[in-house]
Amino acid sequence: MVLSKTSSESDVSLHSTFASRYVRTSLPRFKMPENSIPKEAAYQIINDELMLDGNPRLNLASFVTTWMEPECDKLVMAAINKNYVDMDEYPVTTELQNRCVNMIAHLFNAPLGESETAVGVGTVGSSEAIMLAGLAFKRKWQNKRKAEGKPCDNPNIVTGANVQVCWEKFARYFEVELKEVKLRDGYYVMDPVKAVEMVDENTICVAAILGSTLNGEFEDVKLLNDLLVQKNEETGWDTPIHVDAASGGFIAPFLYPELEWDFRLPLVKSINVSGHKYGLVYAGIGWVIWRSKQDLPEELIFHINYLGADQPTFTLNFSKGSSQIIAQYYQLIRLGYEGYKNIMENCQENAMVLKEGLLKTGRFNIVSKDNGVPLVAFSLKDNSRHNEFAVSDMLRRFGWIVPAYTMPPDAQHVTVLRVVIREDFSRTLAERLVVDIEKVLHELDTLPAKIDAMMSVSAGEDKGPNGGVVKKTALETQREITTVWRKFVMERKKTNGVC
Amino acid sequence: MVVTKTIPDSGEQLNCTFASRYVRTSLPKFRMPEQPIPKDAAYQIIHDELMLDGNPRLNLASFVTTWMEPECDKLIMASINKNYVDMDEYPVTTELQNRCVNMIAHLFNAPIGETETAVGVGTVGSSEAIVLAGLAFKRKWQQKRKLEGKPYDKPNIVTGANVQVCWEKFARYFEVELKEVKLTEGYYVMDPVKAVEMVDENTICVAAILGSTLNGEFEDVKLLNELLTQKNKETGWNTPIHVDAASGGFIAPFLYPDLEWDFRLPLVKSINVSGHKYGLVYAGIGWVVWRSKEDLPDELIFHINYLGSDQPTFTLNFSKGSSQIIAQYYQLIRLGFEGYKNVMENCMENAKVLKEGIMKMGRFDIISKDIGVPLVAFLLKDSSKYTVFEISENLRRFGWIVPAYTMPPNAQHIAVLRVVIREDFSRSLAERLISDIQKVLEEMDTHLDRSSTRVAHVTATVDETHDGDGGKIAVKKSVRESHDEIIKHWRRLVDGLKTNGVC
């Protein structure tokens, strides 16, 4: 353990933390401090600064779980010092991962025999999962092309423009072209017909999203499968499908078990899901499952032998914590099928409560569908005086974090607010949110229109000209500038910046 | 929250967990159970199974931190539900990451001005860090080659055969050839001379390791830099260096501040370090720092604007926990330069104690150096009667996890045991380990005298080339002995096949 030197003022640790010298000097930002400080002071200083972060449970922007039962917290803390990758030393933890992979594979109707083990792996999130899946497709396609003696240097993926940013990362880092099916007003997911049209001989896979980030909608994977099967018959290219079920993978099996989106469709070769979204685990766990061994090229797998059994590993990360894997297993056996179903039904219920409350105000259009991820995406019927960004800003004052963003091309003129309903967003919170939104609307109604005119002129996209010159106070000018800048910044903000 | 249905046996909740029906039925392994179970039962069941995992603190195979102060544990638990990537929602956490990057960049003598911000990022570990650094090199080299109108489809990296497996992953997944400088007996790190010879026009970088996984040695980055500078003058290729300081990055600045290995050497363009090794944080945090903006091609960076300022992000992972980043910041300000120095000095002291105790037994040769990562790697002077693999197995009975492994080519006939000294491996534990190793040796010596185990020894041919005494005597063995033999043989075979699976 650390042998700390006694500090020069010998009774420093007797002072209460807030009166100690360490809180009076400012924290180092660019260089490590020379000397140590007492652990209580370090704790207090950091804890105090972190109070100014948003409250995770009021962060309605995020799909990622923000609450788990205290029993699970105990397990999480107990495993915090276990490095997952030491499979030899922690065989039980490794086996828990394997069990989770199998359970999830069965949930997705992977075509496995009774005691056949599934092909899949736990990752740090859907980003890693998608990269692994994409790598597998890329390598398979390259092998196929090499066998045919054709060029393999221009691979591409076909997806909708509504893809989450991790697909763009995959494309950029792994040198695959991203061919995006553009959206249009009223249709905010990938159109299977257009997608299949865009498939060519260099397409390594078509990626469908179950639970679009923007409005929670499930893409029609079945239709995509049917159209692609046809095209494959004509072309002989054998183009497969990957389903990015980051959000939907833990919703559809419980709420819409008849919906065919998973391995029941023959062209679906791999699926990823975020354990830390509706898998109900804290941030840091995702899963990717392949249909069968054939869909994961052997050359990508590193084999580690332990305890006499082969443990194949295919991950980008190596050392990482074990807590989230154990937590996922906890949830799977604690809740079981019925428990997950209950939670998803609750979320849908609360989403309905919120949606109806918003509709009742008469000021909003609902952009999200009823079937899909439990979230409510809505836009103002009339955003000429104030727009969604202003509503979002004002809600922050009440403590709510509700993001506003514009749709990707070709629907950039549409702006929406989005509230994600997680397990810990109860009905009372939903009702309170509706009340607070009404308050915000009232307040915005009373604000002079000129400020919004300023905003609208500089944004240039969504409002008509309104260039009346009015004398403004210094405060109003300041507020204007801040609001304009905020809006400018928010509009430039990478839309799919949240998972 | 979950609205649980009442379970048909209404008295279920009143039974104590161990007598409840849930502990009598076996746990589902392949499919999700249909019904939920009470949370206490779920907790107990999982907790009980996990008791059979090894004890992380006795895991002497790992460099990764296994103990932090309770104050830090509190901070970790408080931020367990914060998704790091929500930079807009958690601006303070984001700033803590930026501060850590700056502190570490300064620790590595990055050539930045007083208030200039460093170029770097927090990752999930050195694997991600190395992939990012490698990507940057690959992209820069491709751009250079395109400008010169030359082919850019065959990039390669020059490293030593002692590289950790994440380099092999990078090579395989990002389609870069790995050109490895083979080791030789007695020289278990990359030879700078040979490395520079292997550099060609397709080399995107030369990767040196500060703190080799196998024996903790620091590679001579300064010599590499000099030789490579010379070669660059002759060829004009401008090949850069990356330093994989996964272990050494938080040791060298404190114990060997005069050792030039970092940005003080002009060809070093990026460095990675594992926060979760000697950065003294739990598993799940690494750092990569670039020399300057020019060394990180802008096209790889995704720009997220928040609070009016530009937050560039360049990571593979997106959503992840915030706890380890906060814990890293805690350590940096809690310990400061002086605190880290004290911890590293303690580790070196304890490593010396262990080394001396092992040498005193007269049965081992030490192959780790005194300068480097605080670990002790040792091999048996005489492995004809039993091998280091058997010692490793027997130590498990005492609770210690001490790995044994063979060196990579061309030294595969060398098998070593390795003990990593972490902060929480105290002097008393070191002394206890010595006495337990002693016990194991005595046990195996007496066991040998009673019956011949040379048959088992002959069959495992992976790690010894000299096996001249041909112990093929057939001796009547009890069923138990046969069992033991088979298990030992299998274990050794399996361990011999194991790659460098530890960080």
Side-chain angles (χ1 to χ4, degrees), chain A residues 85-122:
Chain A
V85 80
D86 288 338
M87 297 176 184
D88 209 21
E89 287 79 8
Y90 311 124
V92 178
T93 306
T94 306
E95 198 189 321
L96 294 192
Q97 188 227 216
N98 293 345
R99 289 185 204 168
C100 288
V101 166
N102 279 285
M103 291 186 189
I104 294 172
H106 277 104
L107 196 65
F108 295 164
N109 299 293
L112 306 165
E114 260 313 301
S115 48
E116 192 186 331
T117 44
V119 182
V121 73

Side-chain angles (χ1 to χ4, degrees), chain A residues 153-203:
Chain A
D153 57 334
N154 267 329
N156 70 57
I157 279 193
V158 173
T159 84
N162 55 327
V163 275
Q164 208 257 11
V165 68
C166 53
W167 284 99
E168 295 175 47
K169 277 189 184 181
F170 169 72
R172 214 184 281 190
Y173 298 160
F174 289 84
E175 290 157 12
V176 173
E177 185 195 345
L178 203 64
K179 293 176 76 165
E180 292 186 345
V181 178
K182 298 271 177 268
L183 313 179
R184 48 178 198 275
D185 202 346
Y187 196 88
Y188 303 119
V189 290
M190 175 176 78
D191 184 343
V193 176
K194 292 200 189 147
V196 174
E197 273 170 33
M198 289 175 95
V199 168
D200 60 32
E201 55 173 340
N202 288 320
T203 303

